[in-house]
Amino acid sequence: MVQELVEAIPVHPNDRQILRFLLGEMVDAAAPPNFFLGNPAALRRAWSTRGRSLLRGAVQLAEDLTGNLGMPQMVDGDRFVKGRDLATSAGSVVFRNDLMELIQYRPRTETVHSIPLLFSPPWVNKYYVADLAPGRSIVESVLDRGHTVFVISYRNPGQAMRETGADDYLLSGLLPALEVIAEITGAEEVNIAGACLGGLLALMLAAWLPPRHVPGLASVTAFNTIADFTDFTQLTQGGLLGPLLSKYGVAALEAVTAQSGYLSGRALDAALRFLRANEFVWQPAASRWLEGRSPFAMDVLAWNADAINVTHRTQQYVMHELWMKNAFARGTAILAGRPVRPDRIRQDVFLSAAADDHIVPWPAAYRTTALLPGDVRFVLVSGGHVAGLLEPSHAKARYWTTDKPLPADSRAWLGAATEHLDSWRNSWTDWLAERSGPRRRPPPTGSARHPVLQAAPGSYIHT
């Protein structure tokens, strides 16, 4: 009845989308299991613990209201120490500036490919999604396949960095990283791989670099990345990102970041959790506040809670240029004073997307294939936005590929794709090896010009 009323209101379709979202959130929030008397599990636990679960839940509710933006804590972060349990691959910081640290990892094979690999992380999460934990580390996988690996670790910006923009992440991030890698390894080309916004920045770097630039890029890999934001809000969870990306949401974000100088990473994480509110908000709330249970001890949840702030200027560029104007896909984007058009990307490109991704829907990620003029390989993997990226080889892992020309429509691609009961990492590392040059002895760690500053995971991971 209420839904019919929303559909009958004479408003703009975008405003109706916002009303649908708000209505859905209210319905989810009012579900009986979210209240003590409507939650049989909470009632049973209160009886069996003689009320102690209620007391513990009340304490945890107070903790979350005062220290976690009112959101239920999903993970016991104290169980995981960065450098001991997370981000454990051996390496060294070989470069540092005000924006980032560059980590070079210790080789794990007697010989390595001559073209090194640089990982470009998203600037809204810590880099160690690429080096989560032993057995779940992308860094570990490519080191074992004989690659020299470097990773950028961004500093968590505060108010003083409010004017740091997307161009700074290029000029003070990716570009100096390429130059340091070339100086240490002697390589004239570097492979680059990025996840989410880090993958988009890697693609924009490939479009920004002039021809025959040394060091250049040998190939580009983009995991769970969207470059074409056409109808993005409609594709994402039935349009649940609409309120965030609407004119009202953008105005609200502008007001927040203009005052504070940045968008809180914790606030952004809270907003994204409402894309799957039942799974990421209300179920954890019922478990923690009504049943008095402790949060999970999961490495990926610990990483997810370790968010990075987004500077005011970066937020403006992403929201206005990339999302609202769709400037990169349309070929009108300017970054660090130069046009960045996807049809200028001549490198081979590997694109992967996750079938259950609620942040970057795989059909939206697939659209990137139509923007690129070169050799493009697209792989669809099982799992979600993060789980798909971390997926190790196990019985449930699967991915889909096709050797046929890529059609414009994602559904046509899926209809022709072949399912593989294996981890996508094997497909990617085979593809990467073909673009990484002959084998050689591993280069030194650091150099006279760029000496080792400290052991990985460095300092900025703790900011």
Side-chain angles (χ1 to χ4, degrees):
M1 180 66 178
V2 179
Q3 185 68 48
E4 294 176 357
L5 179 62
V6 170
E7 299 303 321
I9 297 175
V11 296
H12 190 276
N14 290 340
D15 294 332
R16 182 173 288 110
Q17 180 186 357
I18 296 173
L19 291 175
R20 288 195 201 106
F21 170 80
L22 295 175
L23 174 63
E25 291 302 307
M26 288 188 291
V27 170
D28 288 344
N34 297 334
F35 300 90
F36 178 69
L37 294 179
N39 189 316
L43 290 168
R44 288 193 298 269
R45 185 166 172 82
W47 177 265
S48 65
T49 63
R50 298 183 179 181
R52 287 191 295 272
S53 62
L54 289 176
L55 179 60
R56 179 174 175 81
V59 171
Q60 294 184 153
L61 171 60
E63 291 175 350
D64 291 338
L65 289 175
T66 58
N68 201 41
L69 302 179
M71 298 292 288
Q73 186 178 347
M74 292 187 63
V75 62
D76 182 2
D78 294 336
R79 295 279 298 274
F80 299 98
V81 177
K82 288 173 280 191
R84 185 194 70 188
D85 309 296
L86 307 169
T88 60
S89 294
S92 303
V93 176
V94 294
F95 177 80
R96 179 186 293 125
N97 60 24
D98 290 340
L99 182 64
M100 66 90 171
E101 293 177 331
L102 182 65
I103 298 171
Q104 179 182 1
Y105 287 96
R106 184 184 304 165
R108 294 164 64 113
T109 54
E110 292 187 0
T111 62
V112 297
H113 289 281
S114 56
I115 298 177
L117 172 68
L118 170 64
F119 186 78
S120 167
W123 58 73
V124 296
N125 292 104
K126 299 290 178 67
Y127 82 88
Y128 62 97
V129 66
D131 186 34
L132 188 65
R136 289 160 61 75
S137 168
I138 298 174
V139 168
E140 184 181 74
S141 296
V142 287
L143 287 172
D144 287 341
R145 295 291 292 264
H147 294 272
T148 300
V149 182
F150 294 80
V151 169
I152 288 175
S153 174
Y154 288 120
R155 183 179 189 174
N156 191 11
Q159 188 172 28
M161 295 178 65
R162 63 177 296 125
E163 293 305 317
T164 298
D167 47 353
D168 294 296
Y169 283 91
L170 177 76
L171 298 176
S172 299
L174 294 186
L175 280 179
L178 290 182
E179 294 167 359
V180 172
I181 292 170
E183 197 276 330
I184 290 174
T185 66
E188 295 187 351
E189 289 185 305
V190 176
N191 291 310
I192 189 168
C196 197
L197 286 171
L200 178 56
L201 188 60
L203 289 169
M204 296 179 79
L205 169 67
W208 187 91
L209 285 175
R212 295 177 295 279
H213 183 274
V214 178
L217 296 180
S219 73
V220 181
T221 296
F223 305 117
N224 301 342
T225 295
I226 181 169
D228 182 351
F229 289 88
T230 304
D231 296 331
F232 176 53
T233 58
Q234 282 68 43
L235 286 169
T236 306
Q237 285 286 297
L240 294 189
L241 273 186
L244 183 62
L245 302 184
S246 69
K247 59 182 179 181
Y248 309 111
V250 170
L253 288 174
E254 291 270 325
V256 170
T257 61
Q259 181 177 7
S260 65
Y262 60 87
L263 174 63
S264 165
R266 294 173 64 191
L268 181 60
D269 172 65
L272 293 177
R273 283 170 64 175
F274 275 98
L275 296 181
R276 287 185 177 176
N278 281 326
E279 182 179 355
F280 296 132
V281 179
W282 304 122
Q283 290 178 12
S287 174
R288 181 165 167 81
W289 300 341
L290 302 182
E291 299 181 47
R293 297 186 183 276
S294 299
F296 296 109
M298 294 180 62
D299 51 13
V300 66
L301 291 180
W303 167 82
N304 193 65
D306 192 18
I308 292 181
N309 302 327
V310 181
T311 69
H312 173 65
R313 189 158 159 251
T314 303
Q315 176 264 326
Q316 285 185 309
Y317 185 84
V318 171
M319 296 292 275
H320 288 279
E321 295 299 316
L322 301 184
W323 286 356
M324 298 182 71
K325 295 181 181 178
N326 203 16
F328 181 59
R330 292 176 177 172
T332 60
I334 303 294
L335 187 63
R338 290 183 188 171
V340 281
R341 293 169 33 191
D343 61 3
R344 292 183 176 179
I345 300 174
R346 301 297 173 179
Q347 292 85 354
D348 293 350
V349 178
F350 184 101
L351 302 172
S352 77
D356 299 322
D357 196 331
H358 67 292
I359 296 176
V360 178
W362 81 264
Y366 182 83
R367 287 180 176 172
T368 306
T369 62
L371 303 177
L372 305 175
D375 184 354
V376 180
R377 182 167 180 79
F378 183 84
V379 173
L380 179 65
V381 310
S382 57
H385 189 66
V386 179
L389 184 64
L390 300 175
E391 184 178 59
S393 296
H394 56 69
K396 295 183 180 180
R398 62 192 62 211
Y399 66 94
W400 293 262
T401 64
T402 178
D403 293 327
K404 300 178 181 179
L406 298 175
D409 185 68
S410 59
R411 292 169 296 180
W413 177 90
L414 185 60
T418 300
E419 182 180 5
H420 306 270
L421 302 180
D422 195 4
S423 170
W424 65 269
R425 290 189 189 179
N426 295 325
S427 175
W428 175 56
T429 51
D430 288 344
W431 180 92
L432 186 64
E434 295 173 359
R435 292 154 180 82
S436 297
R439 306 282 288 227
R440 52 166 278 187
R441 295 188 63 182
T445 299
S447 65
R449 184 177 175 186
H450 299 292
V452 170
L453 302 178
Q454 71 179 108
S459 301
Y460 286 175
I461 192 175
H462 301 293
T463 60

